[in-house]
Amino acid sequence: MNKIRFEQAQELIKKAGQGKAGSEKLNPPHEGTINSLAYAEILKSIIETEEFIYSSRPTHKLLQEEAEEFCGRLVDIRNKIDAILVEFGVLEKEDVEEEVGKLSERFVVLTTKGNFKKILNRWGVEPQRIVVAGVPLVAEDMKILNPKIPESALEPIKKKISHVKNDINRKREQLGAQEILVVVENDKSGELLAKRAVELYQAKVMKRDNLKDVDVLEFRKILEE
């Protein structure tokens, strides 16, 4: 790793850790063990965020989708830093995201968009538990979403559906997840995905008008039900 970039990453970690002092009590550190793998992931993640600096030159202005991705990565980094600080007793707080992570262990979470996956991840759901279904679970539902779709276009969609279902089954087996949770917005694609998931997997469903407006505490309640 380039020495200068390594030092820059360390400085960013230091600043990120200081940035939360206003909302949380910081205690003197006690003895603990460094999670070297987590620390290495933090450094790697920070360096990866440099792409936003280069790609946004000269203004460094980010559009909405780019801003969401950039901030999502920073939040992920912050959560990893928090975990290390908790190990050394510097932070003591109610970690709702950690609770969500534990509560979601019985689920594979199914959603419709990559942006929704980022929201779920910020709430505390492990990325490997999330399946983004860019297509309905039944090919004929594409005709509802797009009445003008030709029959010839349904064949490749059927293959994509097969991949999604295989991904769901593989994750259920590998992760020991007993249930499927569908998290979508109240639009046609979300409604169709939720309906079919209930039919096929007896899935639990969370539908909201705008997932960005959902508080992590509300999502925790859904997991606890």
Side-chain angles (χ1 to χ4, degrees), residues 157-173:
I157 289 173
K158 289 178 181 178
K159 292 182 181 179
K160 291 180 180 179
I161 291 172
S162 178
H163 290 320
V164 170
K165 290 181 177 178
N166 288 340
D167 198 20
I168 292 171
N169 293 332
R170 177 178 57 81
K171 288 180 182 291
R172 292 183 74 178
E173 182 177 352

Side-chain angles (χ1 to χ4, degrees), residues 14 32 38 82 94 132 136-137 148 152-153 155 192 202 208 223:
K14 179 181 177 182
D82 282 358
E94 180 189 14
V132 178
L137 294 176
K148 296 182 179 181
S152 58
E155 285 306 313
L192 287 172
Q202 295 75 54
R208 297 292 186 271
L223 296 175

Side-chain angles (χ1 to χ4, degrees), residues 178-210:
Q178 299 90 6
E179 300 180 58
I180 301 293
L181 172 63
V182 179
V183 180
V184 292
E185 291 187 343
N186 281 317
D187 53 25
K188 185 59 69 175
S189 60
E191 291 172 2
L192 287 172
L193 183 68
K195 176 183 176 182
R196 298 304 185 183
V198 170
E199 293 174 355
L200 295 169
Y201 304 108
Q202 295 75 54
K204 187 174 184 175
V205 176
M206 174 182 171
K207 285 192 294 183
R208 297 292 186 271
D209 290 338
N210 191 335

Side-chain angles (χ1 to χ4, degrees), residues 49-72 74:
T49 61
E50 284 187 331
E51 68 182 73
F52 291 93
I53 300 296
Y54 302 136
S55 64
S56 62
R57 287 176 175 172
T59 63
H60 300 307
K61 182 179 178 61
L62 299 179
L63 299 177
Q64 179 68 30
E65 187 172 347
E66 296 169 326
E68 290 177 359
E69 182 176 355
F70 178 65
C71 292
L74 293 184

